[in-house]
Amino acid sequence: QVQLVESGGGLVQAGGSLTLACEVSGGAFQRYITAWFRQTPGNEREFVAVTDRYRRSSYADFVKGRFTITRDSARNTMYLQMNSLKPEDTAVYYCAADENVILSSRRMPGQYDYWGQGTQVTVSS
Protein backbone atom coordinates (compact mmCIF):
# COMPACT_ATOMS: atom_id res chain seq x y z
CA GLN A 1 0.00 0.00 0.00
CA VAL A 2 1.43 3.34 -1.07
CA GLN A 3 1.43 6.07 1.56
CA LEU A 4 2.46 9.70 1.33
CA VAL A 5 3.08 11.71 4.48
CA GLU A 6 3.67 15.45 4.35
CA SER A 7 5.42 17.53 6.97
CA GLY A 8 6.84 21.00 7.39
CA GLY A 9 3.79 23.23 7.19
CA GLY A 10 3.17 26.02 9.63
CA LEU A 11 2.75 29.73 10.18
CA VAL A 12 5.25 32.16 8.70
CA GLN A 13 5.37 35.89 8.05
CA ALA A 14 5.28 37.28 4.54
CA GLY A 15 8.71 37.14 2.99
CA GLY A 16 9.68 34.12 5.05
CA SER A 17 10.51 30.57 4.04
CA LEU A 18 9.27 27.05 4.69
CA THR A 19 10.31 23.63 3.45
CA LEU A 20 7.70 20.95 2.98
CA ALA A 21 8.61 17.27 2.86
CA CYS A 22 6.68 14.31 1.48
CA GLU A 23 7.84 10.82 2.37
CA VAL A 24 6.61 8.05 0.09
CA SER A 25 6.42 4.47 1.31
CA GLY A 26 5.10 1.19 -0.01
CA GLY A 27 5.90 1.79 -3.64
CA ALA A 28 8.61 2.27 -6.23
CA PHE A 29 9.55 5.87 -5.55
CA GLN A 30 12.03 5.91 -8.41
CA ARG A 31 9.30 5.27 -10.96
CA TYR A 32 6.90 7.90 -9.67
CA ILE A 33 6.25 11.32 -10.98
CA THR A 34 5.77 13.42 -7.84
CA ALA A 35 4.02 16.73 -7.51
CA TRP A 36 2.76 19.37 -5.12
CA PHE A 37 -0.70 20.86 -5.25
CA ARG A 38 -2.50 23.29 -2.98
CA GLN A 39 -6.06 24.06 -2.10
CA THR A 40 -7.95 26.84 -0.35
CA PRO A 41 -11.51 26.60 0.97
CA GLY A 42 -14.10 26.65 -1.77
CA ASN A 43 -11.55 26.30 -4.54
CA GLU A 44 -10.26 23.45 -6.62
CA ARG A 45 -6.91 21.89 -5.98
CA GLU A 46 -4.29 23.71 -8.04
CA PHE A 47 -0.95 22.66 -9.39
CA VAL A 48 2.21 24.02 -7.77
CA ALA A 49 5.20 21.99 -9.02
CA VAL A 50 6.16 18.59 -10.38
CA THR A 51 9.32 16.59 -10.85
CA ASP A 52 10.45 13.10 -11.84
CA ARG A 53 13.39 10.73 -11.59
CA TYR A 54 15.14 12.56 -14.42
CA ARG A 55 14.88 15.85 -12.49
CA ARG A 56 12.59 17.32 -15.10
CA SER A 57 10.65 19.96 -13.20
CA SER A 58 7.82 22.30 -13.95
CA TYR A 59 6.28 25.08 -11.91
CA ALA A 60 3.10 27.09 -11.82
CA ASP A 61 3.74 30.64 -12.96
CA PHE A 62 2.82 32.06 -9.57
CA VAL A 63 5.68 30.23 -7.81
CA LYS A 64 8.44 30.47 -10.40
CA GLY A 65 11.59 31.86 -8.91
CA ARG A 66 10.29 31.43 -5.36
CA PHE A 67 9.68 27.69 -4.92
CA THR A 68 12.01 24.79 -5.68
CA ILE A 69 10.96 21.15 -5.94
CA THR A 70 13.51 18.41 -5.30
CA ARG A 71 13.55 14.75 -4.42
CA ASP A 72 15.92 12.46 -2.54
CA SER A 73 15.66 8.92 -3.82
CA ALA A 74 17.74 7.55 -0.96
CA ARG A 75 15.09 8.80 1.46
CA ASN A 76 12.06 8.29 -0.82
CA THR A 77 11.23 11.89 -0.08
CA MET A 78 10.20 14.90 -2.11
CA TYR A 79 10.65 18.48 -0.94
CA LEU A 80 9.25 21.89 -1.70
CA GLN A 81 11.45 24.78 -0.67
CA MET A 82 9.27 27.89 -0.49
CA ASN A 83 10.91 31.30 -0.30
CA SER A 84 9.53 34.84 -0.41
CA LEU A 85 6.19 33.58 0.78
CA LYS A 86 3.12 35.74 0.25
CA PRO A 87 -0.23 35.76 2.07
CA GLU A 88 -1.82 34.39 -1.10
CA ASP A 89 0.33 31.26 -0.72
CA THR A 90 -1.78 30.34 2.31
CA ALA A 91 -3.36 26.95 1.58
CA VAL A 92 -3.32 23.28 2.40
CA TYR A 93 -0.46 21.75 0.44
CA TYR A 94 -0.74 18.20 -0.83
CA CYS A 95 1.85 15.91 -2.33
CA ALA A 96 0.89 13.43 -5.01
CA ALA A 97 2.58 10.56 -6.79
CA ASP A 98 1.86 8.17 -9.60
CA GLU A 99 3.78 6.01 -12.00
CA ASN A 100 1.44 6.43 -14.93
CA VAL A 101 1.22 10.14 -15.55
CA ILE A 102 0.95 11.47 -19.06
CA LEU A 103 3.74 14.02 -19.36
CA SER A 104 1.55 16.63 -21.02
CA SER A 105 -1.05 16.26 -18.26
CA ARG A 106 1.22 16.16 -15.24
CA ARG A 107 -0.29 19.40 -13.90
CA MET A 108 -3.73 17.85 -13.57
CA PRO A 109 -4.63 16.40 -10.15
CA GLY A 110 -6.71 13.68 -11.77
CA GLN A 111 -3.52 12.11 -13.09
CA TYR A 112 -2.42 11.06 -9.61
CA ASP A 113 -3.67 8.06 -7.67
CA TYR A 114 -1.68 8.58 -4.48
CA TRP A 115 -2.07 11.59 -2.19
CA GLY A 116 -0.87 12.75 1.16
CA GLN A 117 -3.15 14.05 3.88
CA GLY A 118 -2.14 17.67 3.38
CA THR A 119 -0.22 20.17 5.47
CA GLN A 120 -1.40 23.68 6.28
CA VAL A 121 0.74 26.63 5.26
CA THR A 122 -0.33 30.01 6.60
CA VAL A 123 1.45 33.21 5.60
CA SER A 124 0.64 36.28 7.64
CA SER A 125 0.89 39.80 6.27
Side-chain angles (χ1 to χ4, degrees), residues 2-121:
V2 179
Q3 288 190 318
L4 282 66
V5 179
E6 298 110 335
S7 60
L11 173 64
V12 65
Q13 288 189 331
S17 299
L18 280 176
T19 300
L20 305 182
C22 173
E23 184 175 2
V24 182
S25 61
F29 181 80
Q30 273 286 79
R31 293 204 296 263
Y32 291 143
I33 290 178
T34 52
W36 289 98
F37 291 81
R38 68 186 190 186
Q39 190 170 21
T40 53
N43 293 309
E44 294 185 350
R45 200 163 293 190
E46 66 177 353
F47 167 78
V48 175
V50 62
T51 192
D52 63 17
R53 62 187 295 183
Y54 303 110
R55 299 185 180 181
R56 294 176 297 193
S57 300
S58 179
Y59 296 90
D61 286 345
F62 55 78
V63 302
K64 279 183 180 177
R66 300 189 298 126
F67 292 9
T68 303
I69 187 170
T70 58
R71 46 193 272 170
D72 183 341
S73 295
R75 291 182 167 83
N76 288 353
T77 301
M78 173 180 66
Y79 302 95
L80 185 69
Q81 173 68 43
M82 305 186 293
N83 298 325
S84 302
L85 283 161
K86 305 174 182 179
E88 51 264 43
D89 292 319
T90 295
V92 177
Y93 283 71
Y94 296 90
C95 62
D98 204 297
E99 184 177 349
N100 300 306
V101 176
I102 299 172
L103 191 62
S104 60
S105 300
R106 63 193 184 278
R107 296 183 174 213
M108 300 175 63
Q111 287 288 307
Y112 299 86
D113 282 342
Y114 307 118
W115 291 86
Q117 80 286 354
T119 186
Q120 176 71 46
V121 171

